[in-house]
Amino acid sequence: MSEPASISTGIAARYAAAVFELAKEENALPALEADIDALETALKDSADLRDLAFSPLYSREDQSKAIAAISAKMGLSALTANTLALMASKRRLFVLTQMIANIRDRIADEKGEMTAEVTAAAPLTPEQASKLAATLKARAGKDVKLKTTVDESLIGGLVVKLGSTMIDTSIKAKLAALQNAMKEVG
């Protein structure tokens, strides 16, 4: 890992640990989880929010004012709003996505859950998603939340990442393996 990446990961982990522990003490983990879901969605959907968080062109004051207004508009809990205000005043909003991921992992551990990243060739039906979650739960021994994305280049099948295990049943991977086998023969 490069040094700047490890520094920002460390910063994000410290903020995440502090927020998580405070929320846990206040029995506010459900509120924290709702806040990070809302923040993650807002970051995906709003180029302006991404610019505010990641651009060094905004001053501390501008970031602080904007984050306070955004927190109020989104109805974020006081803990999350105060954390974002502190991050803005310290010019640490650039680690927001890493902090969200870290908090999400901590909440999942607390609940005894795991998150599986699933990439499918086509959107999964609710029945397929529940069967996959049940199968992964049997394998992992924990409840499994699915985070699904669609990648049509897979042609068919799934790529599932559960912890450090990766299962690739995509047709794209099978075709690549077949192509490699054909090269070895001829």
Side-chain angles (χ1 to χ4, degrees):
M1 186 181 284
S2 70
E3 190 173 328
S6 64
I7 291 171
S8 60
T9 301
I11 293 168
R14 287 191 298 275
Y15 278 104
V19 172
F20 176 80
E21 290 302 322
L22 287 170
K24 191 173 170 182
E25 286 174 13
E26 297 172 6
N27 293 320
L29 286 179
L32 179 61
E33 188 172 18
D35 288 349
I36 64 167
D37 287 343
L39 274 172
E40 189 171 51
T41 301
L43 280 169
K44 274 185 200 162
D45 296 344
S46 173
D48 291 337
L49 180 57
R50 286 191 305 273
D51 286 347
L52 175 73
F54 305 123
S55 174
L57 299 178
Y58 293 99
S59 69
R60 289 174 200 254
E61 296 79 27
D62 290 343
Q63 282 186 332
S64 295
K65 288 177 189 173
I67 282 297
I70 290 166
S71 296
K73 181 85 172 166
M74 291 176 66
L76 299 178
S77 68
L79 176 62
T80 304
N82 290 340
T83 302
L84 292 175
L86 176 65
M87 290 174 72
S89 72
K90 302 287 185 186
R91 299 197 54 84
R92 297 289 190 251
L93 288 175
F94 68 93
V95 300
L96 194 54
T97 53
Q98 294 153 310
M99 184 187 81
I100 288 170
N102 194 302
I103 291 171
R104 191 173 304 287
D105 290 344
R106 290 171 189 270
I107 290 173
D109 284 345
E110 183 73 17
K111 291 173 149 182
E113 292 179 344
M114 290 184 80
T115 300
E117 295 176 20
V118 179
T119 306
L124 298 177
T125 64
E127 181 183 329
Q128 290 171 325
S130 65
K131 281 184 179 179
L132 179 59
T135 302
L136 293 173
K137 179 181 178 177
R139 181 178 177 144
K142 294 182 175 184
D143 287 333
V144 177
K145 277 177 72 174
L146 301 180
K147 183 178 179 183
T148 59
T149 56
V150 176
D151 180 1
E152 293 176 359
S153 73
L154 296 179
I155 304 169
L158 301 169
V159 177
V160 178
K161 184 177 180 211
L162 181 65
S164 62
T165 305
M166 186 171 209
I167 305 162
D168 191 344
T169 63
S170 67
I171 293 178
K172 181 179 180 180
K174 290 179 181 178
L175 287 173
L178 181 62
Q179 184 178 25
N180 285 337
M182 297 288 286
K183 285 180 184 175
E184 290 175 8
V185 172

